[in-house]
């Protein structure tokens, strides 16, 4: 088997177990991965439109709209005025910021656990590699 084949096979074998365990930890906070991804994006990038979030996540806008609506029902996100009245910009609410902070503690512990034995330098290199692959896929 070629190295590239092994690489992508391992990537596929990593994804589902990671997502399943992540969802177990997120369930402790009554969240799912898609909701967490939006909270993460808004916490780190600031207010955004639904289109910006959908592009970031690589999913269709209706999918983000449904997830964002649920987060709004929970009081985790809120509308902010945009340049244009048609533009739907969202940001974390005060409650959403607290939820993000609380969940971040759980996720930080989980991530440290699964990165055991992997140096920071190796993590940095893998981040670079994954960013390059994503850029190659999306160009």
């Amino acid at each position: 088997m070629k190295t590239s084949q092994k690489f992508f096979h391992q990537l596929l074998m990593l994804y589902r177990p990671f997502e399943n365990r992540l969802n177990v930890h997120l369930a402790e906070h009554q969240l799912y991965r898609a909701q967490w991804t939006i909270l993460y994006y808004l916490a780190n990038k600031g207010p955004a439109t639904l289109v910006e979030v959908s592009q970031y996540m690589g999913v269709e806008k209706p999918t983000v709209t449904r997830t964002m609506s649920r987060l709004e029902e929970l009081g985790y996100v809120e509308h902010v005025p945009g340049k244009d009245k048609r533009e739907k910009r969202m940001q974390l609410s005060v409650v959403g910021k607290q939820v993000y902070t609380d969940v971040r503690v759980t996720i930080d512990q989980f991530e440290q656990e699964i990165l055991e034995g992997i140096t920071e330098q190796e993590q940095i290199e893998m981040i670079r590699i994954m960013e390059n692959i994503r850029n190659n896929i999306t160009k």
Side-chain angles (χ1 to χ4, degrees), residues 70-107:
R70 179 64 182 136
L71 290 171
E72 193 171 16
E73 288 170 15
L74 292 168
Y76 298 168
V77 299
E78 60 192 9
H79 291 273
V80 289
K83 303 172 210 139
D84 184 326
K85 289 185 183 196
R86 295 169 294 179
E87 182 180 72
K88 190 174 186 180
R89 250 180 139 55
M90 304 297 284
Q91 70 179 11
L92 290 180
S93 66
V94 171
V95 172
K97 289 176 184 174
Q98 186 58 55
V99 166
Y100 176 81
T101 301
D102 293 345
V103 177
R104 185 77 257 170
V105 171
T106 301
I107 300 306

Side-chain angles (χ1 to χ4, degrees), residues 55-67:
Q55 289 171 344
Y56 170 76
M57 293 176 68
V59 298
E60 299 295 320
K61 187 177 169 240
T63 303
V64 171
T65 301
R66 283 189 301 276
T67 306

Side-chain angles (χ1 to χ4, degrees), residues 7-8 11 124-139:
F7 177 88
F8 286 106
L11 182 63
I124 291 167
E125 181 65 8
M126 193 62 195
I127 291 165
R128 185 191 64 75
I129 291 167
M130 289 187 296
E131 285 173 345
N132 285 345
I133 292 170
R134 182 175 167 96
N135 289 336
N136 289 339
I137 290 171
T138 59
K139 68 178 168 182

Side-chain angles (χ1 to χ4, degrees), residues 22-45:
L22 177 65
N23 277 325
V24 167
H25 290 291
L26 291 172
E28 296 170 17
H29 301 275
Q30 291 78 49
L31 289 173
Y32 297 101
R33 188 205 45 84
Q35 295 168 323
W36 171 246
T37 301
I38 290 173
L39 294 177
Y40 176 90
Y41 182 83
L42 295 176
N44 290 282
K45 303 285 187 181

